[in-house]
Amino acid sequence: MDCAVSKPWTRIAALFFFSVLLAPNLWAQASPNAQDLLRQMTLEEKIAQLSQLPGMPIPEFKEQVGNMEDVVRKYGAGSVLWVSDPKEINRLQHIAVDESRLHIPILFGLDVIHGYHTIFPAPIAMASSWDPKLAESAQTIAAREARAGGISWTFAPMLDIARDARWGRMVEGAGEDPYLGAAMARAQVAGFQGSQPGSLDRVLACAKHFAGYGAADGGRDYDSSYIPEEQMWNTYLVPFKAALDAGVGTFMSAYMDLNDVPATGNRWLLHDVLRDSWHYRGFVVSDANAVHSLIAHGYARNGQDAAIKAFSAGLDMDMASGTYLKYLSEEVKQGRVSMDQIDNAVLPILEAKIRLGLFEHPFVDEGQIPRVPNAPESQELARAAVQRSLVLLRNEQALLPLDKRQIRSIAVIGPLADAELDLLGMWGAMTKPGPTVSILQGIKNKVGGTVRVEFAHGPNIRRDIPSFFENVAILPVKEQPQQTPEQARKAFNDAVATAKRNDVTVLVLGEIALMSGEGASRSSLKLSGGQQELLEAVIATGKPVVLVLVNGRPLDISWAAEHVPAILETWYSGSQAGNGIADVLFGDANPAGHLPVSWPRNSGQEPLYYDHNRTQSPEDAPDFTSRYWDSSSNPLYPFGYGLSYTSFSYGNVAVDRAQAKVGSIVNVSVDVTNTGNRPGDAVAQLYLHQRAGSASRPVRQLKGFQRVALAPGEKQTLHFKLGPDELQFWSPVKKEWSVEPEQFDVWVGADSAAKLHGEFHLTP
Ligand code: BGC
């Protein structure tokens, strides 16, 4: 036994530490019983629990229900969102706990999407790491920081499959693939919630936006989605089911019409799928104002109709529209909604508050806050996350990594080169972000005084149509100022001159934060605002150029892919962006990110995804006709693609048997070797194809992946299991999940174009 713990006083201290500090619920006052509480509640108090009140002034809300604080005082409130000032949280919580009749605490919710104080890379970047453990660790830190600041509910993870880069919210999710999406969903739920509900360093997670939001027509945000049932089950619902299996506490309904029925009033989604088929017992919150928006959709006649349509579809909590507060009690009095239905909706909300330990610990300990966000290990993890999520798209003649002993001067150029807030993306900037290291600063930190670094901004970039969010007070990200043509020309010329007089240029182009995210759809994926011209002029200087992309979605970089020797995709990489990017640029970290989306050549190819079905005239046929006549049909970079400073070879793919019975497990192994001279990580991916069946099956589907670290010359044999979970699909003919006795192909390799092939047959 450790002698320190054997002394009586240290034993007592250890006991205190483990039982009191690590398991706060042990010393807390007993929580009330949810049923007992429910029995004491009036109808109005119950409806208040079904309501989430906006923490910023919304005139429509005020019009519907009056002053938010009066509601809290009189009836309590289920939740409040968009408040992150701990003082304000405590003030409102005191009203609920001290002044409302039943003293039920408020659940404070916020979009803690990829960090609270320490901002991690945006979700699409985290997915590019193909490292779910990393995502879990990052969300553990996000949860700890948020909870210390009084936030106990996050509206994350965002699980929308996104197959159209024109849709701005691609940045918020794990990309196009349900298998990768499911892995990232499980990891994030585990990170946010942990295994011990009630730990005071965890938060309740929310699987959003249920479901089909990423398939918006034309990639236009909020537009209708038309998704056949088989695609819902096989693709769009998969990450949500994974989150549910991982124990996610809440769901959020999506904004858009799904097959003509808005998701917020869609009983098939909220009841048939979620409750009947999946046996979900938590609660569902709407998206912001979405209950009231049922009127705008042309689905509800008025507020009363909206309330009853959403509620009877299975929508428990109304986010910020006040529609339930205004109309639901009348519906009960008129007998259109029963008290049992109300109770069934309120119960999981009370239970969530109890599980979170909110009754015992309703207030923020303001004195404790600074300790949590300033933990140095959080910044270290954020930096490692940047290194692990960057995707090297091109590296001709091994231009990267840069060797600071060989370079005398570097030009760091571009409208995002000195950006800070923009590197956090929209949500990252909205919480309580700490300082951000710009790319310019990261490079300066890296080269110290040994290499001269010269900065030029180039012309400003702006959206053609400004973002609605620019005027939202809690969002500090802004457009870059409008310039006169003369100012823009001067900035352009300065940038090109800067490139000319330095040895190497790091050119940072892409999208400011407001160009991606909610309400940020685009018809073109081209580099906007003169950035393409700047790129071409800088390349024309003849100096070596590294293009560093900062953006929330794939952009049209077809020209760059032919003319720029090195291209590094960095997405929005958070607080440690500059340091992590410089680590990769100068070879202190070896990039191993792989694309979680197929990278299009142009926006005309969208929607674009690798797991499409084969046509009668497939791409490998000599008379391939189902293609564009003015552009390739293939992506610029396939799903799963990413380069390294070393090289890997894949060989000896082995399927353990040629025949297996339906229901059994087929084992696949493959050798991966680091054939270069640097240590690096390989991301081995396994793809599956069912050759025939009750329905046409995609050309290939990701069914396994592993990220492994390999020393130069090292070989590892990786093993994958293909069991019923991997082999099944939802058959539109049988209307059920089915594993079919058919011939299957497998491919293993570094991306979705992998050639190394094996096969097996499933028998009845
Ligand atoms: C977004 C959600 C978000 C909510 C609350 C909505 O506009 O669609 O993703 O959780 O606002 O901020």
Side-chain angles (χ1 to χ4, degrees), residues 81-82 111 113 155 158 169 172 208-209 213 222 252 255 287-288 319 427 430 469 518:
L81 84 160
W82 299 323
D111 294 275
I113 308 293
F155 308 125
M158 195 284 240
R169 303 196 77 171
E172 296 176 50
K208 75 181 189 186
H209 307 85
Y213 186 29
Y222 316 132
M252 182 191 292
Y255 273 135
D287 202 337
M319 184 187 278
W427 291 124
M430 200 189 87
F469 291 102
E518 186 172 349

